[in-house]
Amino acid sequence: MPVRYEGRFRLVLSGPARLERGGQAVRVRRKALALLYYLALEGPARRALLADLLWGHGAALQNLRVELHHLNEVLGGAFFRGQDPLSLPPVVELAEGTGEVPLEGLEGLSPEWDGWLQGLRARLGSRPQLQPLPERLRGVGPPHLLLLISPLGSDPEGVARALARHLGLPFRMGLGRGRGVFYLSEPFPPAERAAQMAENREGVYVLARSALGEDPPFFLAARVQYPPARTRVVTLEPLSWLEARRGPLKGMPFEEAARYYLHSGGWPLFLAELLAVGNPEALPQRVRAAVMLEASRLTPEERLALERLSVHPGPLEEGLVEALGASEVLERLEALHWLSYREGGWVFADEVVRRVFCSALEPGVKRRLHRLAAEWLEAKGRLWAAFYHRMQLGEGPQDPPPLPPFLEPLFFPEGRLVLDSWPQEGVGRGRRLHPELLPQGPVVLEGEEAAWTQRDGVPSALSWSLEAPALLELEARVFLASPLRVGLSGAGWPLVLQHPLGAVYFLPYGQAGRRGNQGVLPLEGGPFRLFLPPGFYQLQSHAERALVELRLRFYEAQPGEEAAFSLEALSPSPGLGPVGAGQGRGRGQEEEL
């Protein structure tokens, strides 16, 4: 709970706009109240800007002086005398409030003010329902300097607000003094003003800069001025799938929620925009604007290179980069973090960013680039990847090109997959086991549940080891965002259980011969229940872009259960690889693929 100070004034953010002291409303004129809100939310502002915002006529500055005199009387001090720019008095703090509409009742002060108020409400209303405080920030407290590296679509202001709630401190915008969590974002003040932060022993300063580009001077100066023991640098990460399911995606069907999550990349502000327009595959104007605002810092050559590379949704090999005419600025784009290198080539910082650049291409230019990519890939024998670009040109054949033998079972299943059913009688269930689960890649674990997002073929896996036989009860749902891209990286199977006898492959179809599957991995009849002999296990994800949601329960095996459950009971389709020599023991049933 925030600490109450009888001598302090509180501006209530949501609900009826009001100034409080000691829990009681304070009488203050509407435009004077609006001035306090603006300074609290936007930070220090010049007198001329505030005069135009609230009056916009020749006598505006005189009217402003009258309102400032009124505020000094209300607050009991000469807080604004000689100030320009004006800043929020240290005796005033911003409180969250419990209403639904921010600054309710302050409409109609002027057309310019109403425009700002509408933008503020849209900005605050786009905040996701859940903005958890990262675990790495739970030890932060006054005095402290927190430097946030903020990728596009992240919500650094929401993180700062969550920190203020956690500490029970007022949230304040700008370079203020006294108690509070002070939030600053670009454009920052002049670098020489960074020294005053280290003098405040009661505040936490949160500086948020874009993950793209270079450190601004104020950002660097703050690191020099503040003691290293009281400085923390954190790169913000997207919401995990489990966090999103508890928050903005709560109550949605799995497939619909997965579409929103994957198309937003899990970034809170992008996710909020997609939910607002009601279309997971849209590119809302605010998302486009956010990307293009960052791109305005690039040189024309750098921006042109990103547009050219955006036509290819997979990793960009060096030869393909050269074919698309973007090799000269490749190193610079990597240094500015627009591209990153992974095994197989360069990829965009985020899929949303790639889509925005691709959407900005003129139709004729886009066709030429797709043709260049298709021709280069065909020359390298990458027929499946070239097929994607031919389809974009409207030149693709009705059927995909031939796949390598190891990928054929993914699209042309033959034979049957035999799964042992759970025995209905005669076999008891043992006591619960809790083996240590070891995540690899972006895997989130919470009790029996695990989830991860597969992007650009980066490996993700969940491992465990067993010293004695055990029963595994596995429930899984997998959403494939773009099955057509499977061939781009050569990684096909969305879920593989590696075990001492070989591997079990869970394939993305519900019936034989079906192609182009986009949706939930149909594990009908689940959960799967398998007997696990002692050894090391790894549940891997191999899709290009997918979302995996799992629930695992382990049981101590009882006598007789080894005969009823066995990994050897899983007979693979041809070409899937070794799963053991057995042909199925105990009670089993066949399921058509």
Side-chain angles (χ1 to χ4, degrees):
M1 292 291 294
V3 179
R4 305 291 186 187
Y5 288 85
E6 290 299 315
R8 289 187 177 275
F9 295 84
R10 301 170 70 247
L11 283 170
V12 180
L13 177 60
S14 55
R18 63 193 184 277
L19 182 68
E20 293 182 348
R21 185 178 188 181
Q24 301 296 318
V26 177
R27 293 179 61 87
V28 60
R29 294 201 292 248
R30 293 177 74 224
K31 288 199 174 182
L33 185 60
L35 286 170
L36 290 179
Y37 273 112
Y38 189 90
L39 295 174
L41 290 163
E42 300 292 356
R46 301 196 66 83
R47 289 174 178 249
L49 184 151
L50 293 169
D52 288 341
L53 181 68
L54 287 169
W55 289 276
H57 54 68
L61 285 173
Q62 177 59 32
N63 290 344
L64 176 63
R65 283 192 288 270
V66 171
E67 295 300 321
L68 294 177
H69 178 74
H70 169 65
L71 283 175
N72 280 334
E73 290 182 338
V74 171
L75 301 176
F79 296 108
F80 301 105
R81 185 172 298 169
Q83 276 194 11
D84 195 12
L86 300 174
S87 59
L88 187 71
V91 296
V92 181
E93 59 189 36
L94 191 65
E96 289 287 342
T98 57
E100 295 184 0
V101 180
L103 280 61
E104 187 177 346
L106 280 185
E107 303 85 359
L109 298 181
S110 75
E112 291 76 11
W113 168 265
D114 285 347
W116 175 82
L117 182 58
Q118 183 180 3
L120 171 73
R121 288 172 175 172
R123 189 175 76 201
L124 296 178
S126 70
R127 200 169 306 290
Q129 299 174 28
L130 172 69
Q131 180 55 68
L133 182 67
E135 287 293 331
R136 291 172 292 174
L137 302 187
R138 294 192 179 274
V140 171
H144 223 105
L145 174 66
L146 175 60
L147 304 171
L148 297 182
I149 312 298
S150 310
L152 282 167
S154 63
D155 185 13
E157 183 180 333
V159 170
R161 290 180 181 275
L163 178 62
R165 290 193 296 270
H166 175 71
L167 297 175
L169 292 173
F171 174 82
R172 305 177 69 177
M173 305 286 286
L175 192 61
R177 297 176 182 273
R179 295 175 63 252
V181 172
F182 300 88
Y183 176 74
L184 297 90
S185 59
E186 300 175 271
F188 290 112
E192 55 268 20
R193 296 188 61 192
Q196 73 182 68
M197 292 188 298
E199 301 170 1
N200 184 9
R201 308 295 297 175
E202 299 181 282
V204 176
Y205 291 91
V206 180
L207 276 57
R209 83 159 192 81
S210 170
L212 303 170
E214 300 172 336
D215 287 328
F218 183 84
F219 204 80
L220 296 172
R223 297 195 67 172
V224 172
Q225 295 289 342
Y226 229 83
R230 286 288 177 176
T231 303
R232 192 168 302 187
V233 182
V234 174
T235 299
L236 295 181
E237 297 178 350
L239 294 175
S240 73
W241 168 248
L242 297 179
E243 288 171 338
R245 287 291 268 169
R246 287 195 302 263
L249 301 178
K250 186 176 182 179
M252 277 191 186
F254 172 76
E255 181 174 347
E256 182 183 5
R259 288 180 186 275
Y260 276 107
Y261 183 80
L262 280 175
H263 283 291
S264 68
W267 296 110
L269 298 185
F270 286 169
L271 179 56
E273 285 296 310
L274 294 181
L275 290 170
V277 301
N279 180 2
E281 299 185 18
L283 279 176
Q285 287 301 320
R286 290 186 67 189
V287 173
R288 296 174 187 265
V291 175
M292 289 308 172
L293 180 62
E294 291 287 349
S296 64
R297 306 178 186 183
L298 297 171
T299 66
E301 293 78 15
E302 291 164 351
R303 179 168 171 169
L304 179 61
L306 288 173
E307 290 177 352
R308 289 173 174 172
L309 297 175
S310 69
V311 297
H312 188 70
L316 294 150
E317 301 173 46
E318 190 169 354
L320 181 56
V321 171
E322 186 174 351
L324 293 172
S327 57
E328 291 186 5
V329 294
L330 187 62
E331 292 182 5
R332 180 65 178 163
L333 291 173
E334 186 176 2
L336 295 175
H337 308 294
W338 285 92
L339 301 175
S340 60
Y341 186 81
R342 299 175 184 171
E343 185 177 356
W346 287 267
V347 295
F348 274 77
D350 194 271
E351 175 66 11
V352 175
V353 174
R354 185 198 69 80
R355 290 175 61 209
V356 169
F357 276 108
C358 190
S359 69
L361 288 169
E362 295 294 336
V365 175
K366 187 182 294 187
R367 286 188 60 84
R368 181 177 66 84
L369 293 171
H370 277 302
R371 191 173 302 281
L372 287 172
E375 291 172 353
W376 185 87
L377 291 165
E378 286 166 348
K380 296 295 180 179
R382 303 277 304 283
L383 301 183
W384 183 261
F387 174 68
Y388 167 80
H389 294 282
R390 291 296 180 189
M391 290 292 288
Q392 301 303 309
L393 292 167
E395 301 174 355
Q398 290 185 347
D399 293 322
L403 291 171
F406 73 94
L407 276 178
E408 286 184 2
L410 180 64
F411 288 90
F412 306 100
E414 298 175 359
R416 299 171 184 269
L417 182 63
V418 182
L419 296 175
D420 270 16
S421 64
W422 187 266
Q424 300 300 311
E425 56 185 358
V427 178
R429 295 178 64 160
R431 66 179 179 87
R432 293 289 297 275
L433 296 177
H434 300 281
E436 183 180 7
L437 300 177
L438 305 175
Q440 173 187 340
V443 181
V444 178
L445 287 171
E446 290 188 7
E448 297 176 340
E449 294 187 342
W452 64 81
T453 304
Q454 192 79 17
R455 294 187 179 96
D456 301 310
V458 177
S460 299
L462 194 62
S463 306
W464 65 90
S465 60
L466 294 173
E467 296 180 358
L471 293 175
L472 167 65
E473 189 172 278
L474 168 68
E475 296 177 81
R477 290 189 291 188
V478 178
F479 179 82
L480 301 176
S482 183
L484 188 60
R485 290 178 51 189
V486 165
L488 293 181
S489 67
W493 293 282
L495 208 57
V496 181
L497 176 62
Q498 298 285 350
H499 61 87
L501 301 176
V504 176
Y505 296 81
F506 299 101
L507 302 180
Y509 343 86
Q511 50 188 302
R514 186 177 171 194
R515 302 185 201 172
N517 300 281
Q518 180 166 323
V520 181
L521 179 70
L523 302 179
E524 291 99 345
F528 291 131
R529 299 170 176 99
L530 304 172
F531 175 82
L532 304 184
F536 178 79
Y537 293 83
Q538 191 170 67
L539 192 60
Q540 304 170 344
S541 174
H542 285 277
E544 180 72 19
R545 290 187 68 223
L547 189 146
V548 180
E549 183 181 81
L550 303 170
R551 181 175 287 108
L552 300 95
R553 300 184 182 94
F554 296 87
Y555 298 88
E556 184 179 39
Q558 296 292 327
E561 289 178 331
E562 183 173 353
F565 307 98
S566 175
L567 288 172
E568 296 181 5
L570 292 160
S571 297
S573 300
L576 283 181
V579 193
Q583 295 300 316
R585 299 182 295 181
R587 306 177 187 191
Q589 64 182 21
E590 294 183 346
E591 294 186 3
E592 287 275 355
L593 282 183

